[in-house]
Amino acid sequence: MPNPPRLRATALTATAVLLCPLLAGCGGDDPKDPDLTAQKLSWKDCPAPSAPEGGGAAPSPLPNGGRWQCATMKAPRDWSDPKAGTIDVALIRVRASGGKSQRIGSLIFNFGGPGGSGVTGLPAFADDFAELRTRYDLVSFDPRGVGRSAAVECKNAKQLDTYLQVDMTPDDAAEERKLLDGTESFNAACKKNSGAMLPHVRTTDAARDMDLMRQVLGDRKLYYFGISYGTELGGVYAHLFPKNVGRAVFDAVVDPTQNPEQGSLGQAKGFQLALDNYARNCVSMAEGCPVGDTPQDVKNRIAVLLKSLDAKPIPGIPPRKLTQSLATDGILQALYSQELWKYLTQGLYQAYQGDGKVLMLLADSLNGRNENGEYSNLIPANVAISCADDKPRYTVKDVTAKLPEFRAASPLFGDTLAWEMLSCSDWAVPGAAYHPNVSAPGAAPILVIGNTGDPATPYEGASRMVKALGKGVGIELTYKGQGHGAYISANKCVRNAVDAYLLQGKTPAPGTVCS
């Protein structure tokens, strides 16, 4: 999936834009503005991604000749007042390869974040979804506040470089003040540059956009594939529009029952588990592990490295230095996928020699920074959506009280994930609720996939999502694997189950386990 944004305690929770969606049985209405539901999209060859989308080249045609097309859809800026102006929502698609007689409809993807651009994400992972494309147009979009969809703007690239080097694990009152000052400065910049948009980027706003999208694309039901935060967006959609759910898959599932503190603590446990798995894997290699002799030695040496970087950063990518915070970001990024473990080993080995380039490259990937020094709007969108969704506003007192619990969950990552709970403490827009409402009685079956080794959305969230969706809606499938997500792992059992459901409507037996 697209590289995740800077980890925050609130990055994986969402709620409602209005009180009504929080109440069971209150959703299900369709957008009624005829000018919007009847709009015709003008599909054209896709341009190169914009700077907020991450930049780069225009997507290349697929090997079988599939062309990427882009369009913009008009949506109300304020769904509580649909006639008070519109925003543009950027879309991308590639047509189904199997012909009109085989086509089911449009399969809409959200790859997570919040803050990830679907316009850049879908082409990057299109090969993984080739089988699904035989019967679906593959479609994705930049959710509101993201990329080319009324992007939230905060600090410029130079200011972000400085912001991301702030010590995220303060050791004294002076460092605490610097952390708070950095957060307050970032949040103030978001209000100054995007204040009018900040109240309108909640997950329920994006869910309503998706239902408008469904209608504009000509589908009677929503066919959907949500990954990570995309599972939460899908759950909120199912709550609002249960009768409009067609076939939907939730992969790398967000726990909808948790508040931001609980979600952050769950991530601390999840990333510690991933680190444990990485360390065991490294020392089991026939060629040996260059960063430790035993799993505990690997983790001890990482802890020593991070402590030394707290006191004295090392050269990274000139002119920037690899700080403790950026090194932690780099390690976290590598733990998202087992395919990145070899780069974590390389980065750690070089850092022990005083060279921080590889760990900094990994951190840049996590934070949406490209090789030209520019940032996508991944971080601003992530913060804006999360803080608009999440009701709690944590203080230094809250964090310090919880530090022992976070450190017990993860000696290496606990402090960072605890202190990042301060991100919304002075946000300009109040949060909507403590956790999202995803109850969807009467919705069609939704396939919910949990990965036992997932660091960012721990496995337990899948069963809780199934329960929260309601009886007869969620169907749980377990993948015993590593990394964030299951379908892109190319595990045949997972692929076959998902493909059979989305392409033929055949659901696996509840409790199916793939390994």
Side-chain angles (χ1 to χ4, degrees), residues 59-137:
S60 301
L62 296 176
N64 62 1
R67 290 173 49 243
W68 293 104
Q69 298 177 308
C70 288
T72 56
M73 179 188 77
K74 297 290 183 183
R77 185 174 70 92
D78 182 354
W79 272 105
S80 67
D81 186 8
K83 295 184 179 180
T86 63
I87 61 170
D88 287 341
V89 176
L91 279 67
I92 188 169
R93 77 174 180 188
V94 62
R95 287 289 203 176
S97 61
K100 290 183 178 181
S101 64
Q102 296 296 312
R103 182 181 178 274
I104 296 172
S106 298
L107 182 61
I108 298 176
F109 289 80
N110 181 279
F111 296 99
S117 165
V119 172
T120 57
L122 184 57
F125 293 95
D127 288 348
D128 289 301
F129 306 111
E131 185 65 23
L132 299 177
R133 189 186 156 225
T134 60
R135 300 197 66 191
Y136 289 100
D137 296 346

Side-chain angles (χ1 to χ4, degrees), residues 408-428:
S410 175
L412 202 69
F413 307 124
D415 278 54
T416 295
L417 289 165
W419 284 106
E420 286 186 348
M421 291 195 299
L422 295 176
S423 296
C424 299
S425 59
D426 64 337
W427 192 248

Side-chain angles (χ1 to χ4, degrees), residues 169-373:
T169 58
D171 301 312
D172 53 39
E175 290 187 351
E176 286 178 12
R177 186 66 257 168
K178 286 183 179 179
L179 175 58
L180 287 170
D181 288 346
T183 300
E184 290 169 2
S185 174
F186 179 86
N187 292 354
C190 299
K191 180 180 179 181
K192 177 182 178 181
N193 295 321
S194 296
M197 195 63 198
L198 297 184
H200 307 299
V201 295
R202 293 188 171 103
T203 297
T204 42
D205 296 317
R208 293 178 183 278
D209 291 344
M210 283 209 306
D211 202 60
L212 176 61
M213 194 181 306
R214 170 190 66 79
Q215 295 173 83
V216 172
L217 291 169
D219 289 331
R220 189 175 63 87
K221 299 285 187 178
L222 180 80
Y223 302 101
Y224 181 72
F225 200 132
I227 300 101
S228 192
Y229 162 79
T231 67
E232 187 165 304
L233 174 58
V236 170
Y237 178 92
H239 172 70
L240 290 172
F241 308 103
K243 295 179 181 179
N244 295 346
V245 175
R247 300 172 189 170
V249 173
F250 295 175
D251 187 3
V253 184
V254 172
D255 186 339
T257 69
Q258 293 182 330
N259 64 29
E261 176 195 317
Q262 293 165 334
S264 189
L265 185 62
Q267 285 194 329
K269 296 174 182 177
F271 278 98
Q272 186 64 43
L273 173 63
L275 181 69
D276 294 343
N277 291 336
Y278 159 75
R280 282 194 293 269
N281 177 266
C282 188
V283 300
S284 71
M285 294 292 184
E287 63 271 24
C289 178
V291 294
D293 297 324
T294 67
Q296 190 59 50
D297 185 40
V298 172
K299 291 181 285 186
N300 289 344
R301 293 188 67 187
I302 293 174
V304 170
L305 171 68
L306 293 178
K307 186 175 181 179
S308 69
L309 292 173
D310 191 25
K312 185 179 180 181
I314 62 176
I317 300 173
R320 292 179 298 151
K321 298 278 191 177
L322 183 73
T323 62
Q324 180 192 48
S325 295
L326 285 174
T328 301
D329 282 352
I331 295 167
L332 289 167
Q333 167 69 332
L335 294 176
Y336 267 86
S337 170
Q338 190 168 2
E339 293 181 356
L340 296 178
W341 287 3
K342 60 184 177 182
Y343 300 110
L344 176 55
T345 299
Q346 180 184 356
L348 290 170
Y349 180 77
Q350 292 184 1
Y352 296 149
Q353 316 305 315
D355 181 353
K357 288 188 183 67
V358 172
L359 285 183
M360 183 168 276
L361 283 170
L362 289 166
D364 287 349
S365 178
L366 184 79
N367 293 320
R369 189 184 195 273
N370 65 30
E371 60 185 9
N372 297 324

Side-chain angles (χ1 to χ4, degrees), residues 477-515:
L477 183 150
T478 294
Y479 169 53
K480 292 185 175 181
Q482 301 295 332
H484 190 40
Y487 190 86
I488 63 167
S489 71
N491 177 271
K492 289 185 178 180
C493 174
V494 173
R495 286 273 175 102
N496 289 342
V498 171
D499 292 350
Y501 178 52
L502 288 177
L503 297 175
Q504 303 167 33
K506 297 179 180 178
T507 57
T512 296
V513 177
C514 295
S515 58

Side-chain angles (χ1 to χ4, degrees), residues 388-401:
D389 279 343
D390 297 335
K391 194 177 186 69
R393 297 293 186 252
Y394 298 104
T395 65
V396 170
K397 184 178 179 180
D398 295 326
V399 172
T400 53

